Amino acid sequence: MYKIGHIAKQLNVSTDTLRYYERQGLLQASVRSPAGYRLYDDSALEQMRFIVRAKAVGFSLKDIQELLTIKIDKHNHSCEEVKSLTLQKLTQTRQRIEELLKFERSLSVLAERCCGGEESADDCSILTALEDVDGSA
Amino acid sequence: MYKIGHIAKQLNVSTDTLRYYERQGLLQASVRSPAGYRLYDDSALEQMRFIVRAKAVGFSLKDIQELLTIKIDKHNHSCEEVKSLTLQKLTQTRQRIEELLKFERSLSVLAERCCGGEESADDCSILTALEDVDGSA
DNA sequence: CTTGACCTTGAACTCAACTCTAAGGTTTAT
DNA sequence: ATAAACCTTAGAGTTGAGTTCAAGGTCAAG
Ligand SMILES: [Zn+2]
Ligand SMILES: [Zn+2]
Ligand SMILES: [Zn+2]
Ligand SMILES: [Zn+2]
C-alpha cells in the first residue's frame, strides 16, 4: 500500500492532481489508513498509469472517464465503442491541427515579409497587412 | 456613427464580445449617445477589423493589446518589436502543432489496430495498449 | 401609447485541468 | 520531545475568451 506522495512521485504528477482525479471520479484510493491517509494498492497504481498514458495520447479527462467505464467492465462493452472514442478524438485533433497550420502559414508569411529592423514601425508590413482589407491572412 | 449592434453584425461578432473587448482595453467606443449608447466611428470600425484579423492569424487578445499599443504610436516602436511578437507566436504555434501531431500519430496507430467490431472489448487492442507498460504512445 | 427591437449595467457563470491556501493532524527520525 | 516531512479538508483562485442573467432604459413604427 502506497501513500499519495509515493504514487505522485512514481508517476510524476502532484498530490493535488491525484486528489483532483479522485474528485473527478477517475481514481479512488483503495482504502484509508486509520489516520485518514489515502492508501493505494498496485491495481490503483496501474489504473493511474492507464490515465497518464491516455492523457499522453491526447485524451481529455472526460474521455478517460468513458474509457475507464469500459475498461472496468470490458465484457459488456464493445471494441466499437472504444474505437469510436478514439476516432472522435483523432478527428478533433486533426481539426485543431488544421486550424493551427493556417495560423502557422499566415504567421510565417507575415514574419518573412517584415524586416525586423530597429527603425520605426511606420511602414511595418505586418501592421499594414493586418490593417489592410486584403491582408494575406 | 454606428451603434454596437451594427458593428457586431458587420464583423460577425456578438455585442457581448464588443463590450468584453472594451473591458479588456482593446476597443473603446468613440463617444456615447445622450442615452448612454456606445457610438463607434469609422476608425473604431477599422480598429475592430484589425483585431478580428489579428485573431484570425492566431494572436491572443493579450498579443493584440501589444500590437495595438504599437500600431497607435508606430513612430515610437520598431519593426523589430512587431516581428518579435509574430515570431514568438509562430514558435508557440509550432510547438502546439508538434504536440498535437504526436497525439495524432498515437491515435491513428491505436485506431488502425482496433477492429472496431461489436463484440466485447475484452481483447481490445486500444485498451491493451493503454494498459501495457510498453504502449505504442 | 404600446409593442418590439435595441441598448445599459454589474456580476456571475462556463470550460479544463489543475493549483494554491489555510488550518490542522500524523509519522518518523534524532 | 520536537522538528521535518508527510497527510487531511473545504474552498477559492488561475487562464482565456467569452456568455448569460437580471433588471431596467430608449427608440421607431403603427
Ligand atoms: Zn521594417
Ligand atoms: Zn515590420
Ligand atoms: Zn476488436
Ligand atoms: Zn478494439
Side-chain angles (χ1 to χ4, degrees):
Chain A
M1 293 298 227
Y2 318 105
K3 282 185 285 183
I4 197 169
H6 181 81
I7 302 285
K9 260 173 211 152
Q10 287 284 308
L11 296 183
N12 206 29
V13 298
S14 73
T15 56
D16 278 326
T17 296
L18 282 161
R19 292 192 199 97
Y20 175 70
Y21 285 3
E22 180 173 297
R23 283 205 297 287
Q24 299 308 303
L26 291 171
L27 179 70
Q28 257 39 55
S30 316
V31 304
R32 292 294 185 114
S33 81
Y37 286 19
R38 287 168 181 81
L39 295 176
Y40 300 86
D41 62 14
D42 286 298
S43 85
L45 181 55
E46 268 320 300
Q47 176 147 333
M48 189 59 193
R49 282 215 171 88
F50 180 93
I51 294 169
V52 168
R53 279 186 213 112
K55 283 223 74 190
V57 302
F59 285 112
S60 69
L61 296 188
K62 192 158 175 283
D63 298 328
I64 295 173
Q65 269 182 24
E66 298 193 57
L67 288 173
L68 285 171
T69 302
I70 295 171
K71 172 175 132 69
I72 282 162
D73 183 20
K74 289 182 186 181
H75 211 68
N76 287 307
H77 292 276
S78 63
C79 254
E80 196 272 327
E81 292 176 69
V82 181
K83 187 161 184 173
S84 162
L85 275 171
T86 306
L87 288 176
Q88 209 181 318
K89 183 55 53 175
L90 186 55
T91 302
Q92 267 175 38
T93 304
R94 284 180 173 154
Q95 277 168 4
R96 182 67 177 140
I97 289 170
E98 278 315 302
E99 192 184 0
L100 289 177
L101 282 174
K102 276 177 200 149
F103 291 167
E104 199 266 350
R105 285 188 287 267
S106 300
L107 289 167
S108 32
V109 169
L110 287 174
E112 262 167 38
R113 292 196 188 144
C114 169
C115 76
E118 307 248 331
E119 85 282 8
S120 103
D122 284 330
D123 302 314
C124 178
S125 62
I126 297 176
L127 294 180
T128 310
L130 295 174
E131 281 161 16
D132 285 1
V133 175
D134 57 336
S136 56
Chain B
M1 292 299 227
Y2 318 106
K3 282 186 284 183
I4 197 168
H6 181 80
I7 302 285
K9 260 171 212 154
Q10 288 285 309
L11 297 183
N12 205 29
V13 299
S14 74
T15 56
D16 281 324
T17 297
L18 282 162
R19 292 192 199 98
Y20 175 69
Y21 286 3
E22 180 174 297
R23 283 206 298 291
Q24 300 306 305
L26 291 172
L27 179 70
Q28 256 41 54
S30 315
V31 304
R32 292 295 185 112
S33 82
Y37 288 16
R38 286 167 181 83
L39 296 175
Y40 300 86
D41 62 13
D42 286 298
S43 86
L45 181 55
E46 268 319 300
Q47 176 147 332
M48 189 59 192
R49 284 217 171 86
F50 180 94
I51 294 169
V52 168
R53 280 186 213 111
K55 284 223 74 190
V57 302
F59 285 112
S60 69
L61 297 188
K62 192 159 175 279
D63 298 329
I64 295 173
Q65 268 182 25
E66 297 192 58
L67 288 172
L68 285 171
T69 304
I70 294 171
K71 173 175 133 67
I72 282 161
D73 184 19
K74 289 183 185 180
H75 211 67
N76 286 307
H77 291 277
S78 62
C79 256
E80 195 271 327
E81 292 176 69
V82 181
K83 186 161 184 173
S84 162
L85 276 171
T86 306
L87 288 176
Q88 210 181 320
K89 183 54 53 177
L90 186 54
T91 302
Q92 267 175 38
T93 303
R94 285 178 173 156
Q95 277 168 6
R96 182 67 178 140
I97 290 171
E98 279 316 303
E99 192 184 357
L100 289 176
L101 282 174
K102 276 178 201 149
F103 291 167
E104 198 267 350
R105 284 188 288 267
S106 300
L107 290 167
S108 33
V109 169
L110 288 174
E112 262 168 40
R113 293 195 188 144
C114 168
C115 76
E118 307 248 331
E119 85 283 8
S120 103
D122 283 331
D123 301 315
C124 178
S125 63
I126 296 177
L127 294 179
T128 311
L130 294 174
E131 282 160 15
D132 286 0
V133 175
D134 58 336
S136 56

